[in-house]
């Protein structure tokens, strides 16, 4: 299965490693995660071409047919240039366009103001991973309800399984035994390593933790891979942190969402 987008290529790799089903129908690729049906980007369709006139409705219908129980719609386009197609039709169909920056690095530099107070290490114990669950909830950008708690718990189980299977590592910054910042780094075995979920607890922001942790994990990652990949929101401050340690913009990743009603 040929996927041009480095962002989606590594997304599908991570899903496959976590037990998701990935199937190429020819017209589109189906990514399905039965263990976590509320995971939008574990249950989506990836198309190979931008939206043509009339395509929004057809693609939403495809999604509804593939995922009849889903409360969301999630569609991707396998491109690198950010070309959407008929954007006015997408808006009329209720689709929100999300553009992310796919960034890469073959070498990294230390942040200008590294954090020297915290301890940076792998997550290892049951307590570390249980803290990770609560850490994810504390960093949520949305209202945390029972459905989001269940989604977070299931995603945590999958992430730990990837680490336990030897596919990567999860890193944390700690004040004593308290988790402050975290991220994952997963390897494809062929020279690529993909970052996952760079998070810092609200009370610990502004201390240089994220930049120091990204540099720490990158230094480790480049002992096992040639190219590091991270996907960032172009409008969020974290992208400046990644650029400061040596990541450069490589592609634009396109995702289209109709959230649950």
């Amino acid at each position: 299965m040929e996927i041009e987008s480095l962002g989606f290529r590594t997304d599908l790799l991570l899903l496959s490693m976590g037990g998701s089903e990935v199937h190429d129908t020819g017209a589109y690729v189906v990514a399905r995660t039965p263990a976590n049906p509320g995971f939008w980007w574990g249950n989506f369709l990836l198309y190979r071409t931008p939206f043509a006139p009339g395509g929004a409705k057809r693609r939403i219908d495809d999604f509804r047919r593939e995922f009849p129980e889903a409360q969301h719609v999630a569609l991707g386009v396998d491109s690198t240039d950010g070309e959407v197609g008929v954007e006015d039709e997408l808006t009329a169909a209720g689709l929100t366009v999300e553009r992310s920056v796919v960034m890469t690095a073959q070498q990294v530099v230390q942040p200008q103001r590294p954090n020297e107070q915290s301890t940076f290490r792998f997550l290892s114990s049951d307590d570390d991973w249980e803290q990770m669950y609560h850490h994810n909830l504390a960093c949520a950008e949305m209202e945390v309800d029972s459905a989001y708690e269940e989604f977070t718990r299931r995603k945590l189980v999958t992430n730990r399984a990837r680490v336990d299977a030897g596919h990567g590592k999860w890193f944390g910054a700690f004040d004593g035994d308290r988790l402050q910042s975290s991220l994952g780094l997963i390897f494809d075995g062929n020279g690529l390593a993909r970052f996952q979920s760079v998070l810092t607890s609200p009370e610990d922001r502004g201390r240089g933790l994220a930049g120091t942790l990204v540099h720490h994990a990158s230094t480790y990652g480049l002992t096992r891979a040639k190219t590091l990949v991270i996907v960032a929101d172009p409008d969020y401050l974290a992208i400046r942190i990644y650029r400061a340690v040596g990541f450069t913009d490589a592609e634009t990743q396109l995702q289209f969402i109709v959230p649950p009603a």
Side-chain angles (χ1 to χ4, degrees):
M1 178 169 43
E2 294 292 328
I3 303 296
E4 181 183 10
S5 163
L6 185 58
F8 279 118
R9 195 188 323 153
T10 50
D11 282 340
L12 295 175
L13 170 74
L14 291 169
L15 290 170
S16 296
M17 286 179 174
S20 299
E21 304 163 7
V22 177
H23 173 60
D24 190 347
T25 69
Y28 50 79
V29 176
V30 184
R32 195 185 307 275
T33 307
N36 199 354
F39 179 17
W40 299 354
W41 293 108
N43 298 278
F44 73 99
L45 303 185
L46 176 62
Y47 290 85
R48 290 191 166 86
T49 58
F51 284 80
K57 182 182 184 304
R58 287 194 295 271
R59 292 182 177 187
I60 291 173
D61 289 345
D62 288 342
F63 183 90
R64 295 298 188 196
R65 185 175 61 255
E66 294 283 356
F67 298 96
E69 304 299 321
Q71 298 182 37
H72 71 284
V73 175
L75 309 172
V77 170
D78 181 23
S79 64
T80 62
D81 59 7
E83 178 62 37
V84 171
V86 286
E87 194 158 350
D88 55 338
E89 282 192 18
L90 307 186
T91 302
L95 287 162
T96 298
V97 183
E98 298 181 352
R99 291 176 172 88
S100 299
V101 181
V102 182
M103 312 178 77
T104 61
Q106 287 79 40
Q107 58 185 8
V108 291
V109 296
Q110 191 174 41
Q112 289 186 348
R113 295 183 179 84
N115 180 287
E116 297 177 346
Q117 290 74 49
S118 298
T119 301
F120 298 85
R121 62 173 175 82
F122 301 135
L123 270 64
S124 56
S125 68
D126 289 344
D127 180 68
D128 288 347
W129 285 97
E130 185 60 22
Q131 283 199 68
M132 184 69 202
Y133 168 71
H134 296 286
H135 177 66
N136 273 277
L137 297 181
C139 295
E141 300 289 335
M142 60 187 71
E143 180 182 352
V144 174
D145 56 14
S146 59
Y148 190 80
E149 290 174 346
E150 180 65 17
F151 156 76
T152 300
R153 178 66 73 183
R154 292 185 182 200
K155 194 170 182 183
L156 184 80
V157 169
T158 300
N159 287 335
R160 188 171 186 180
R162 289 193 189 106
V163 171
D164 290 345
H167 296 309
K169 296 288 188 182
W170 224 267
F171 298 78
F174 290 83
D175 176 11
D177 293 327
R178 183 178 69 86
L179 180 63
Q180 300 171 286
S181 187
S182 65
L183 62 83
L185 189 60
I186 307 297
F187 300 89
D188 76 343
N190 292 302
L192 287 178
R194 169 71 186 267
F195 276 84
Q196 289 279 279
S197 304
V198 182
L199 299 173
T200 301
S201 296
E203 67 269 27
D204 294 299
R205 291 171 186 168
R207 302 181 186 181
L209 288 164
T212 306
L213 188 60
V214 169
H215 178 261
H216 176 81
S218 296
T219 301
Y220 171 83
L222 289 170
T223 67
R224 294 182 55 181
K226 294 180 179 179
T227 301
L228 307 176
V229 181
I230 196 165
V231 178
D233 181 340
D235 299 318
Y236 190 59
L237 59 86
I239 196 168
R240 299 199 302 268
I241 296 172
Y242 309 147
R243 288 172 177 152
V245 299
F247 282 82
T248 58
D249 300 7
E251 300 176 358
T252 298
Q253 184 176 18
L254 289 174
Q255 297 172 309
F256 307 86
I257 283 286
V258 179

